[in-house]
Amino acid sequence: MRYGPMFGPDITFLGVERCDLGDAESFAGADVVIVGAPFDGGTSNRPGARFGPMALRQACYLAHDGSRPSLALRVDPLRDLKVLDAGDVECYSGDIETSIRDIEEAVHTISASGAMPLVLGGDHTIALPDARGVARHHGFGRISMIHFDAHADTGEIEFGHLYGHGQPMRRLIESEAIRGDRFLQIGLRGYWPGPETLDWMAGQDMRSYEMTEIVERGLTECLTEAFAIATDECDGVFLSVDIDVCDPAHAPGTGTPEPGGLSARQLLDAVRRICYELPVVGMEVVEVAPPYDHAEITAYLGNRVILEALSAIARRREVAAGGEPWDPRKPLLAGRHPVPPTTEGL
């Protein structure tokens, strides 16, 4: 394995300190370790997600100074947490099995150290090694998956291969790293998969929230239901965010866009809520493909997904240490007409 930049400049995520996964002392005591998985050899449509880690690290108009105070959550996640960047795992697109193996080893190394691995993809093939690497530490069957995506990614064989970005969730369940009945999918839509694959998914007791259900019931209600399932008989949650869960108007830079998805606002609010309310033990952001990204819209969204997650984790820890619970209704500045505090409905 090689850690460092594979594509683009030698930078860390918004200027956080570096670490070396070959030197355990360099990431001792870390809360979160970021690692890039610039692999897009599993794409069935447009490649380009190999450039995702580079784009996610640098997509910000503010100084790359290792600090990002959150207006909503009143924390600075890059300082309140010890967040380090290990660089990229060397991923050769023509060797999918070696790339999967090396990514899994990197993620397991981070997880076993006590830090949360945060993986920058890459296409969704990497969900297999990412979640399996975390499960190797926490125990197979002991973590659940919350999976934001337009696509189920539960295919059997694609172009004659078992591995690819349309199959990682099936491979995960087959490996028993994650139980099918603790697998929650949010944002599915479109015209794939077909009946045979859906029958397989039903046989695993998967819970998939298609967009029409989300629109009819509301995202808040669907998430609340998913949270109850995700935390039942599991010790932690792995959060997988495929950026194509959002409508292409909000995330055009992705390999397999599907109209009719979540808005950027919905995704950010959902990720924030998940990481504030649930014990997230691993996370990935995948399928950001800069070659198709107009004005860096998708890269900026992906960058903010990461920051929302880290901010929520930081505030969750603050509350656990005796701090004041977060109230989203509390105004940033009340001026001369303060809003009465309320926790109704929280």
Side-chain angles (χ1 to χ4, degrees):
M1 289 180 285
R2 165 189 172 275
Y3 299 98
M6 277 201 74
F7 304 104
D10 187 9
I11 59 173
T12 62
F13 181 80
L14 300 181
V16 301
E17 293 184 8
R18 302 174 187 274
C19 68
D20 178 357
L21 294 188
D23 176 10
E25 191 62 32
S26 72
F27 55 97
D31 295 306
V32 178
V33 175
I34 295 169
V35 64
F39 179 82
D40 63 6
T43 54
S44 58
N45 193 34
R46 307 185 302 193
R50 70 183 67 182
F51 304 109
M54 171 191 69
L56 290 167
R57 285 186 172 105
Q58 65 184 8
C60 189
Y61 53 83
L62 298 170
H64 289 206
D65 56 0
S67 174
R68 281 298 180 278
S70 167
L71 290 177
L73 287 154
R74 320 305 206 264
V75 292
D76 186 338
L78 302 185
R79 292 191 174 175
D80 294 343
L81 301 173
K82 185 176 181 180
V83 181
L84 305 175
D85 192 329
D88 293 341
V89 178
E90 188 172 64
C91 297
Y92 180 56
S93 290
D95 191 346
I96 193 168
E97 292 188 2
T98 298
S99 295
I100 288 173
R101 180 200 67 197
D102 290 349
I103 294 167
E104 181 177 328
E105 286 304 316
V107 172
H108 178 254
T109 296
I110 296 166
S111 193
S113 76
M116 186 193 88
L118 199 165
V119 188
L120 312 180
D123 74 42
H124 221 159
T125 304
I126 71 169
L128 173 61
D130 291 347
R132 200 161 59 187
V134 172
R136 280 173 53 189
H137 173 63
H138 290 276
F140 274 33
R142 299 306 306 169
I143 61 170
S144 58
M145 169 79 85
I146 296 182
H147 168 211
F148 285 85
D149 206 326
H151 312 97
D153 293 353
T154 49
E156 173 62 283
I157 297 175
E158 188 76 32
F159 304 133
H161 289 275
L162 291 171
Y163 301 112
H165 76 163
Q167 301 127 285
M169 306 316 175
R170 183 183 287 238
R171 301 286 94 87
L172 270 173
I173 293 171
E174 289 175 340
S175 74
E176 299 183 347
I178 296 181
R179 292 165 46 175
D181 62 352
R182 296 298 179 271
F183 216 109
L184 296 309
Q185 299 184 308
I186 299 169
L188 304 190
R189 60 192 185 276
Y191 301 89
W192 184 89
E196 183 178 343
T197 300
L198 288 174
D199 286 346
W200 181 88
M201 294 167 63
Q204 312 307 309
D205 293 323
M206 297 178 71
R207 181 63 169 96
S208 301
Y209 295 85
E210 200 264 348
M211 278 303 302
T212 52
E213 180 183 358
I214 291 171
V215 170
E216 183 67 25
R217 297 179 60 197
L219 181 58
T220 297
E221 182 180 330
C222 291
L223 286 176
T224 298
E225 181 179 281
F227 289 6
I229 300 170
T231 53
D232 182 30
E233 299 181 350
C234 286
D235 303 319
V237 175
F238 187 94
L239 175 59
S240 177
V241 178
D242 184 330
I243 207 69
D244 73 24
V245 73
C246 284
D247 190 276
H250 296 251
T254 191
T256 315
E258 182 65 51
L262 298 179
S263 69
R265 181 71 266 156
Q266 286 177 305
L267 177 60
L268 292 172
D269 288 345
V271 167
R272 179 198 296 158
R273 185 181 167 199
I274 288 166
C275 292
Y276 180 69
E277 295 186 21
L278 303 181
V280 176
V281 294
M283 178 178 174
E284 64 184 7
V285 178
V286 302
E287 298 287 354
V288 173
Y292 318 108
D293 199 12
H294 171 67
E296 299 180 283
I297 292 171
T298 315
Y300 269 82
L301 175 57
N303 180 281
R304 270 24 185 188
V305 165
I306 294 164
L307 286 175
E308 287 296 316
L310 293 176
S311 296
I313 291 169
R315 187 60 187 261
R316 176 182 171 89
R317 293 191 181 189
E318 183 179 295
V319 172
E324 180 184 358
W326 177 57
D327 182 354
R329 295 170 179 80
K330 183 177 180 180
L332 175 64
L333 299 172
R336 296 168 60 184
H337 307 284
V339 178
T342 177
T343 56
E344 183 181 353
L346 291 182

